[in-house]
């Protein structure tokens, strides 16, 4: 059982957005992750976060993780090899910008950027570390490579397990390529991605029907068990939000005890988070590439700069529910006028004026 941080601990934590640090890599690409030492809320929320960058011809070697994850393709196109637990055959999934995949426990994956690609393939991973080895950080287990499973077993065990002679076993163990990521040799043919393998495995957030569409304000696609059933196994919901220049996202909170983990995909803007006792616990600027976490029940709002703001979030429940404090769906619109007059200690005229605003806006507010 994961022990939750106390209110005082959460209120004192540094919630400011952070960039990841390089963990390993080489000619084929690099793997970056966020550390709970730099972003304490990762540990408090039991969330891991990492990014994979693959150059043309780069291959992230087959591995599995101690955590269930959501993967989001930030940039580029390529292939994801996926072997689900107890599956007899791998799926070779063509992937592109905007694709989201749910990766349950025990899934073995490899990722590849085509040899002739003119762009990096960049994939974001966000997941639940509550059952992992290190709270707030993914632990990946390489099946091959310099730090892979083969290299840990003795030649005798490898020979017995895979029915090899000693010389062949020794050769396999000693010729494993670099750690985690390699570059495919020129002319080496990789398996062709199969369009049919996308079915039920991928939702493209840039092409999916919009759950919210406010002209001049913003758009939302929500990932849940309805449009990607594997989300149930992963235990996480997600959404992609895009707001236009100078638009505002209504102050709101997750009303089902979930943490919201937000990666800024592109653009820039301002963020405020208000916590316990009306304390503003975060006021900062965000830009593409940074990550921050909103504690349970804390209220968050964002205003985009003139370039607009786009973010991808996971929420630590597969079907999240949010309450908004402004707009036509605001809880203020449902509370009795007499209660609001007293609660705000104001006049009936002021309460009426307050209630009459934002009747035609929902969640996102375009600039005046």
């Amino acid at each position: 059982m994961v022990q939750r941080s106390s209110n005082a601990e959460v209120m004192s934590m540094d919630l400011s957005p952070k960039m990841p640090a390089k963990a390993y890599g080489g000619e084929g690409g690099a793997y970056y992750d966020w550390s709970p030492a730099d972003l304490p809320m990762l540990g408090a929320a039991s969330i891991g976060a990492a990014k994979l960058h693959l150059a043309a011809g780069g291959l992230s070697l087959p591995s599995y993780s101690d955590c269930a994850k959501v993967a989001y393709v930030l940039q580029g196109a390529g292939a994801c090899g996926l072997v689900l637990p107890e599956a007899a055959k791998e799926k070779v999934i063509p992937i592109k910008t905007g694709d989201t995949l749910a990766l349950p426990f025990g899934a073995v994956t490899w990722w590849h950027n085509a040899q002739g690609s003119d762009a990096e393939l960049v994939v974001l991973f966000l997941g639940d570390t509550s059952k992992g080895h290190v709270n707030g950080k993914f632990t990946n287990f390489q099946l091959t490579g310099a730090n892979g499973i083969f290299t840990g077993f003795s030649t005798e065990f490898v020979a017995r397990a895979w029915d090899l002679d000693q010389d062949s076993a020794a050769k396999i163990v000693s010729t494993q390529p670099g750690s985690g990521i390699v570059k495919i040799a020129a002319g080496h043919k990789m398996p062709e991605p199969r369009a049919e393998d996308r079915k039920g495995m991928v939702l493209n957030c840039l092409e999916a029907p919009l759950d919210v569409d406010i002209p001049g304000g913003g758009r939302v696609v929500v990932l849940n068990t309805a449009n990607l059933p594997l989300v149930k196994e992963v235990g996480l919901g997600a959404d992609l939000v895009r707001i236009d220049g100078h638009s505002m996202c209504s102050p709101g909170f997750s009303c089902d005890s979930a943490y919201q983990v937000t990666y800024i995909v592109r653009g820039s803007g301002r963020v405020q988070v208000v916590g316990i006792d009306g304390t503003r616990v975060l006021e900062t600027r965000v830009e593409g590439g940074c990550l921050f976490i909103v504690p349970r029940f804390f209220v968050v709002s964002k205003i985009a700069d003139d370039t607009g703001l786009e973010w991808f979030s996971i929420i630590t429940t597969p079907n999240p529910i949010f309450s908004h404090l402004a707009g036509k769906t605001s809880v203020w619109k449902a509370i009795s006028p007499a209660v609001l007059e007293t609660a705000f200690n104001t006049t009936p005229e002021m309460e009426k004026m307050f209630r009459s605003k934002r009747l035609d806006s929902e969640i996102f507010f375009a600039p005046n």
Side-chain angles (χ1 to χ4, degrees):
M1 181 178 179
V2 175
Q3 188 170 351
R4 283 178 169 158
S5 301
S6 68
N7 290 340
E9 288 174 326
V10 171
M11 290 290 285
S12 65
M13 283 181 181
D14 177 10
L15 302 183
S16 59
K18 296 292 191 300
M19 295 288 188
K22 184 177 178 180
Y24 60 84
E27 188 182 3
Y31 180 86
Y32 300 80
D33 62 7
W34 283 265
S35 166
D38 298 326
L39 188 55
M41 276 304 302
L42 288 171
S46 298
I47 291 294
K51 277 201 302 181
L52 175 67
H53 289 239
L54 291 178
L59 173 68
S60 177
L61 298 172
S63 67
Y64 62 94
S65 178
D66 63 346
C67 305
K69 303 175 184 176
V70 170
Y72 181 69
V73 182
L74 294 166
Q75 175 186 303
C80 169
L82 172 63
V83 181
L84 294 172
E86 301 183 343
K89 184 181 178 182
E90 76 173 355
K91 294 180 181 291
V92 183
I93 303 169
I95 56 173
K96 61 183 179 179
T97 303
D99 279 351
T100 309
L101 299 86
L103 306 174
F105 278 107
V108 173
T109 59
W110 54 261
W111 305 82
H112 177 234
N113 191 5
Q115 194 74 259
S117 175
D118 57 1
E120 269 195 325
L121 174 63
V122 183
V123 184
L124 173 72
F125 301 98
L126 301 172
D128 175 12
T129 67
S130 60
K131 297 179 181 178
H133 285 274
V134 180
N135 200 29
K137 194 177 181 73
F138 298 134
T139 300
N140 297 319
F141 294 83
Q142 304 291 334
L143 295 189
T144 64
N147 57 350
I149 301 301
F150 272 105
T151 60
F153 284 110
S154 67
T155 302
E156 177 194 0
F157 272 62
V158 172
R160 286 286 300 274
W162 285 277
D163 193 22
L164 300 171
D165 59 66
Q166 291 286 326
D167 288 344
S168 297
K171 187 174 182 180
I172 283 181
V173 171
S174 64
T175 58
Q176 295 293 294
S179 101
I181 299 172
V182 299
K183 186 157 186 176
I184 299 294
H188 182 76
K189 188 170 178 60
M190 291 291 289
E192 288 293 328
R194 298 182 289 263
E196 61 269 24
D197 283 351
R198 287 177 61 89
K199 186 175 181 181
M201 305 303 302
V202 179
L203 177 75
N204 188 280
C205 292
L206 299 177
E207 299 174 354
L210 296 170
D211 293 279
V212 177
D213 185 8
I214 308 297
R219 294 150 295 286
V220 182
V221 170
V222 178
L223 182 79
N224 53 34
T225 55
N227 52 23
L228 194 60
L230 272 178
V231 163
K232 184 176 182 179
E233 291 187 41
V234 174
L236 301 167
D239 58 20
L240 178 69
V241 182
R242 291 165 283 170
I243 61 175
D244 298 326
H246 301 294
S247 289
M248 181 181 192
C249 181
S250 167
F253 64 94
S254 168
C255 51
D256 48 7
S257 191
Y259 290 92
Q260 186 174 353
V261 185
T262 298
Y263 175 84
I264 304 300
V265 177
R266 59 180 55 85
S268 60
R270 291 177 289 148
V271 175
Q272 290 187 356
V273 178
V274 175
I276 299 164
D277 296 328
T279 302
R280 188 186 307 155
V281 293
L282 180 65
E283 180 170 12
T284 190
R285 297 190 64 78
V286 294
E287 60 184 15
C290 69
L291 182 89
F292 69 99
I293 300 175
V294 178
R296 298 175 303 124
F297 301 112
F298 283 32
V299 179
V300 60
S301 184
K302 308 176 186 74
I303 298 178
D305 290 338
D306 56 4
T307 57
L309 191 60
E310 178 177 338
W311 65 89
F312 182 82
S313 296
I314 63 163
I315 302 93
T316 55
T317 178
N319 293 296
I321 302 172
F322 284 91
S323 282
H324 292 276
L325 301 181
K328 68 180 182 181
T329 58
S330 163
V331 295
W332 299 123
K333 298 292 193 281
I335 295 176
S336 302
V339 173
L340 283 185
E341 287 174 30
T342 303
F344 280 122
N345 189 27
T346 190
T347 63
E349 292 75 22
M350 181 63 73
E351 187 284 327
K352 185 176 181 180
M353 184 272 291
F354 177 79
R355 186 186 295 274
S356 69
K357 300 294 184 179
R358 297 291 185 204
L359 295 177
D360 59 349
S361 302
E362 180 181 357
I363 304 179
F364 304 126
F365 311 137
N368 293 329

